Amino acid sequence: MPDPFYITTPIYYVNDVPHIGHAYTTIAADVMARYRRLTGNDTFFLTGLDEHGQKVQQAAIKAGIDPQTYCDRVTPQFRNLWEKLHISHDGFIRTTDARHKAVVQRALQNLSNKDLIYRAEYTGWYCTFDERFWTEKDVQNGLCPDCKRPVEQLSESNYFFRMSRFQDRLKEHIQQHKDFLRPETRRNEVLGFLQKPLEDLSISRPKSRLSWGIELPFDSDYVTYVWFDALVNYISALEYLPSVPAFERYWPASIHLVGKDILTTHAVYWSTILMGLELPLPRTIFAHGWWTVDGEKMSKSRGNVVDPYVMVEEFGADAFRYFLLREIPFGQDGDFAREPFIGRINSDLANGLGNLLSRTLTLIHRFSNGRVPEPQDSTTTGLETELKRTAESLIREKLPHHLHSGRLEFNRALESIWGLVQLGNQYIDKTAPWVLAKQPDQKPRLDTVLYHSAETLRCLCISIYAFMPTTAEEIKQQLGLTLNFTKPILEGEFNWGGLLPDTQVTKGQPIFPRIEATTKSQGKNQPSPDHLGSSPSYQSQATASSQMKPEPTQRPGNTPGSDDSITIQEFEKIQLKAGKVLSAERVPKSEKLVKLQVDLGREQRQIVAGIGKKYKPEDLVGQTVVVVTNLKPAKLMGIESQGMVLAAGDEEVKSLATFLEEVDPGTKVK
Ligand code: ME8
């Protein structure tokens, strides 16, 4: 029996309505929960709302109602959205639940009994928005280092948790548990943060200043600091939300999924609180990246907040789920824009998956009376072997690899699934069943082709289920499959050949109708390099890296003296130098592009290179590479590139060109 799997999202503040950021984390958690249930894990998926604290109190005052009424009013906005997005949470916690409050008070009492809580006078800079104190050295120009809002000086008596005591243990834990903080960059960030002495954590707020919170069990003049209250939800929920208390069963959590904004509160506050409570730490805290909208930070004042309700209404839940997870590697920041979204719907969903389903079912209706024919083994070819191999490796190797808790490579998983979609469509193109149907002696071959096309769809149906549950159900219905997604998939169903011959298929409506492009957006983007055969109207900007280079011309037999030869003088026009990579970071929204700062001896240049699929930024730093230094500067995805690095490979980068010996930056290459 696989291990229990407990996954959580942050509990969202109710001072605002849900937006794309909240939807993103929750969809990602849902994909993992569905995937783990399908593969047999006893799964508990928790989400909920953070209802205490200053922000909520202020929002209630603004609305002219008491905080509890305010919370009760906002809660359905989240609950209904999760329903519309087909979020399959097992528990929904609200921090105003009486039973949650009791667990918070017990935790505080427990720490106090161990002398891990003390009272002290504290003077510091306070940020109302972030609800936290900052020290003199943190504050820059009177602004909060986190949210950049003005801070105010406060002198207050408060209760403190002895967080500093756990600094060394925490460092050690992070160092010893590779998957504890993910991705790697975030792990390094926290380790960097822990280089400085860790201060104790103020865990109370005087009621005179803030009354909307959980009263401290040992001092009724105070309420609990909202972050202490909120973090405890991950354990309190297990006590009362499952039908029977399930702390022993599910703790420690398998994954706390959070945005990068709240990494420290989870990695440092929560971990040390758990140490104080003598409880095991979660196995993984995964901090994903940040969505901007049309290149800008989302905010009410800018009026650019993406409303997930509108997206679902306009494009459907599954398309929205697909886009958010396909477009951007999960740990990285991304930009949301309508055009790339529509582009993906048309290319990947309508032309890719939708087309494969529709043509397969049409062919089965036309040439096999609407029933899946029996494959004739004697007629199978290399194409069929490739389909089988690709489908089995997708389900058995690629999905488990990419969806491993320490990786969460949703985009890669979807890329692999769409590799099979593409292969399925190519298979039909190449085997041309409509031609086979005209030759009676090709009937056995035709049957084999129809069976393999339908079986490809069955494997796709299983693979997409976690990402696009409604689409998977629809494909299941149309193909007449017996799969039951409410239970773990049976071992045998993972194998090629699970589709029973003679199954009746039913062609339905197109699962993803094409979306017409608006004139304004048309032609803004180039065709996507990884589109799926038919020409999409739009291209995702995140895969626009192909625009950097013209189509490579293949000249295998280029001989000296042929028309294409150049003279040595011509060659010398190209200035090549050794450059040392000083820093590297991914270009947001792009899978391929990496922005490098390169030392060229007398100067430093910024170069945008299409090598991000092959190399991680951290692998590039310190490498000495070959740079074309007299190339006209060009802008790639809006970022200036002042040169080009050389690499071997055609469409795919195989290897960067480097040097056998150490050479100084700026050395001429000839
Ligand atoms: O921080 N891009 O709640 P919150 C990506 N109550 N994700 C985003 C996002 C964006 N632009 N905006 C929000 C809180 N998120 C606390 C949490 S947990 C014990 C307490 C997502 O309503 C992301 O997951 O401000 C981020 O961490 C979370 O919403 C913050 O939600």
Side-chain angles (χ1 to χ4, degrees), residues 343-394:
R344 286 243 175 242
I345 294 179
N346 285 340
S347 65
D348 301 8
L349 304 182
N351 291 352
L353 182 62
N355 192 26
L356 180 62
L357 177 69
S358 151
R359 62 205 300 217
T360 301
L361 296 187
T362 303
L363 291 166
I364 294 176
H365 270 288
R366 213 185 295 159
F367 304 128
S368 188
N369 294 324
R371 290 186 177 273
V372 177
E374 180 131 24
Q376 308 297 319
D377 287 347
S378 60
T379 79
T380 53
T381 65
L383 288 175
E384 278 97 34
T385 313
E386 195 186 346
L387 269 182
K388 173 176 187 281
R389 196 183 43 75
T390 308
E392 287 191 345
S393 109
L394 171 66

Side-chain angles (χ1 to χ4, degrees), residues 16-42:
D16 209 348
V17 291
H19 59 65
I20 181 181
H22 305 123
Y24 184 52
T25 322
T26 313
I27 290 170
D30 185 61
V31 169
M32 285 308 293
R34 286 179 184 272
Y35 180 70
R36 289 306 197 97
R37 288 190 201 107
L38 206 66
T39 53
N41 294 85
D42 165 14

Side-chain angles (χ1 to χ4, degrees), residues 515-554:
I515 294 177
E516 284 315 310
T518 54
T519 338
K520 178 173 163 260
S521 324
Q522 245 165 2
K524 187 170 156 192
N525 299 311
Q526 309 296 314
S528 164
D530 59 355
H531 73 75
L532 298 161
S534 7
S535 45
S537 317
Y538 296 96
Q539 176 212 6
S540 147
Q541 290 172 356
T543 52
S545 45
S546 70
Q547 70 195 31
M548 60 185 285
K549 54 176 191 249
E551 213 26 45
T553 35
Q554 300 239 332

Side-chain angles (χ1 to χ4, degrees), residues 10-13 19 21-22 24-25 50 227 230-231 233-234 258-259 261-262 266 288-291 298:
I11 47 171
Y12 306 111
Y13 285 127
H19 59 65
H22 305 123
Y24 184 52
T25 322
D50 192 350
W227 267 103
L231 289 162
N233 95 87
Y234 297 132
V258 295
D261 55 324
I262 54 174
H266 282 75
H288 64 67
W290 208 244
W291 283 96
M298 239 185 315

